[in-house]
Amino acid sequence: MIAVVAALAVAGASCTGSSGGSSSPSPSVSTPSASLTPVTPTPATPAAQPGPVTPSAVEEIVTGLAAPWSIAFVPGGDGQALVTQRDEGTIVLVDAAGTVTPVGPVPGVDGSGEGGLLGLAFDPASPSDLYVYSTMGSENVVQRTTYANGALGPFSLVIDGIPAGTRHNGGRLAFGPDGMLYISTGESGVPEDAQDVGSLGGKILRIAPSGAVPADNPFDGSPVWSYGHRNVEGLAFDDEGRLWASEFGDRSADEVNLISPGQNYGWPFVEGIGGAPDYVDPVVEWRPTSESSPSGVAYVRDTLFVAALRGERLWQVPVPGGVAGSPVAFVEDFGRLRDAVVAPDASLWVLTNNTDGRGDARPGDDRILRLTLAP
C-alpha cells in the first residue's frame, strides 16, 4: 500500500562527511594508454547553490525489507525492480505499487559485517542478463545469471579474486555507455591494497560482460580502471559518459570523485581535497565524516543524488557541465540511506538501511521511498 508520507523540507547545505582476502594474480603494469586522457576534476564551489533538479514529495512504497542494499529496475518490466537483501543473500521483486515478491537466494553468499549480497545490474545490451556482486568467504565475486518470469537462471562466474573482509567490500555495479561493466571494490580493511595495482581491492574495475579485460584498459591485462580508493559504494554515469563515484573516508573526509582511467585517488596517503600533485582530488568532500558516509549515487538532469548512511540524508549535488557544486540536504527523516536509483517513470527510488546492524531500526524498516522530482 502506498502512503504519502510528507513533503520534503529543504535543509541547509553542508560541505562536511563519512563510514586478508584472496586476490587475482598480479597483472603486468604499464603506463596508462595515451588515448585515455585524464580528466582534471573541478573542486566544489564554496557556496551552496540549488541544483537543477529538486525533490518535491516523498512516498513510502515498501516496508519490511531486511538490510536491502541495491535496486535494479527490470528492463521492460513496467516499473518492477529487483532488490538485494544483504544478510539473507536473497533477491526480491518490487512492483510499482509496492508489492514485494520473493525471487530467490543467490547461491554461495557467505559474508559477515559489511559483506554479503551487494550490487545488482542488468546488461542493457542483453536485458535478461543480470549481474550480481556478493561475498563468498575470503573473496568478493561477480556472477551472471538470467532473470525472466520471476525466476533466476543458473549462475556463472564473471570475475573473482576481489578481497573481502568484514568491512570495505565495495559492491556497486554499473554498465557504462561503452557497454562495459564497472565494479567498485573496497580495500577490505587493508589500506595498502588500494595502492597495489596487482590487487583488485580499493579499485574501480572495468570488464567486458563476458569477464574479459578490454584492450583499452589503462593497465595491460588488468581489469583495474582507477585505484587509490578506500571503499567506493556508488557509481553513476552522466549524459556525457563521465563516471562519478562516492567514496567513504576514514576520519577526515568523505568524497565524490570524477573518475579518469589509470588515475590514483590517493588512499591511504590523502583523504579529501589535499592538493597533492600525485593524486586526483575529489570534486566534493564532506567534513567531518559523520555528515555523509556516501553510498549509492543516482544521476538525473545534471544532478547527482547521493544516499548517506551516517549522515542519514539524501545529498543533492549539481554537476552541470561536469563541474560540481555544493551539496544540499534532503530526506532527513528516515535514518540511514543506502541506494538511490532513477526509475523508469523518472521518479527516484531510495533505500533505507536501518536493519543492517549499524542503524536504529524503527517499525516498518527497511523501506523504499519514492521521490517525485520537479520538472
Side-chain angles (χ1 to χ4, degrees):
M1 179 177 179
I2 300 175
V4 177
V5 177
L8 287 171
V10 178
S14 172
C15 290
T16 60
S18 171
S19 183
S22 62
S23 60
S24 293
S26 299
S28 59
V29 177
S30 69
T31 57
S33 168
S35 64
L36 300 172
T37 304
V39 176
T40 301
T42 302
T45 55
Q49 300 176 6
V53 180
T54 57
S56 59
V58 59
E59 301 169 292
E60 178 185 290
I61 62 171
V62 173
T63 59
L65 297 175
W69 209 92
S70 183
I71 301 172
F73 281 93
V74 179
D78 296 323
Q80 295 179 324
L82 298 183
V83 178
T84 55
Q85 298 189 113
R86 187 194 69 187
D87 298 343
E88 292 185 355
T90 59
I91 295 175
V92 298
L93 176 70
V94 178
D95 67 19
T99 303
V100 178
T101 305
V103 173
V106 174
V109 174
D110 177 17
S112 60
E114 296 174 5
L117 181 56
L118 304 177
L120 284 176
F122 281 98
D123 183 354
S126 183
S128 64
D129 285 350
L130 177 67
Y131 289 74
V132 181
Y133 185 113
S134 57
T135 308
M136 294 187 175
S138 64
E139 65 177 353
N140 290 299
V141 306
V142 177
Q143 298 178 90
R144 181 177 56 246
T145 184
T146 57
Y147 174 77
N149 301 318
L152 301 171
F155 285 78
S156 60
L157 182 66
V158 176
I159 186 171
D160 60 1
I162 301 168
T166 58
R167 61 187 186 129
H168 304 174
N169 287 286
R172 201 65 65 184
L173 302 177
F175 275 90
D178 56 3
M180 300 298 162
L181 178 62
Y182 291 75
I183 304 164
S184 77
T185 77
E187 34 80 313
S188 68
V190 184
E192 55 268 30
D193 278 0
Q195 291 292 321
D196 179 3
V197 183
S199 168
L200 300 185
K203 309 295 189 297
I204 294 175
L205 311 178
R206 176 182 182 253
I207 59 173
S210 65
V213 174
D216 60 348
N217 270 13
F219 302 102
D220 290 343
S222 171
V224 172
W225 188 245
S226 63
Y227 66 109
H229 299 292
R230 184 170 183 263
N231 190 30
V232 173
E233 286 192 2
L235 297 173
F237 287 90
D238 67 19
D239 292 336
E240 301 302 319
R242 290 176 288 247
L243 176 58
W244 304 84
S246 64
E247 182 166 344
F248 288 81
D250 183 17
R251 301 180 187 276
S252 297
D254 290 326
E255 304 176 354
V256 170
N257 285 290
L258 180 57
I259 301 301
S260 184
Q263 297 302 293
N264 185 346
Y265 287 80
W267 177 254
F269 301 122
V270 66
E271 188 177 348
I273 297 173
D278 293 335
Y279 311 115
V280 178
D281 274 345
V283 296
V284 173
E285 64 173 14
W286 288 273
R287 293 177 182 267
T289 51
S290 58
E291 291 293 306
S292 190
S293 293
S295 192
V297 178
Y299 171 84
V300 56
R301 305 199 315 265
D302 289 336
T303 305
L304 299 177
F305 288 99
V306 184
L309 291 164
R310 283 186 66 197
E312 298 189 351
R313 67 200 79 177
L314 184 70
W315 288 107
Q316 178 220 53
V317 181
V319 289
V323 179
S326 294
V328 177
F330 295 92
V331 193
E332 297 183 275
D333 299 324
F334 295 93
R336 292 161 57 85
L337 304 181
R338 174 66 73 179
D339 199 12
V341 180
V342 180
D345 66 0
S347 66
L348 195 68
W349 284 26
V350 177
L351 280 181
T352 72
N353 216 197
N354 298 313
T355 60
D356 70 342
R358 297 281 181 94
D360 296 321
R362 61 199 79 182
D365 279 338
D366 269 309
R367 310 165 195 270
I368 296 178
L369 311 174
R370 181 165 60 201
L371 279 65
T372 301
L373 301 179

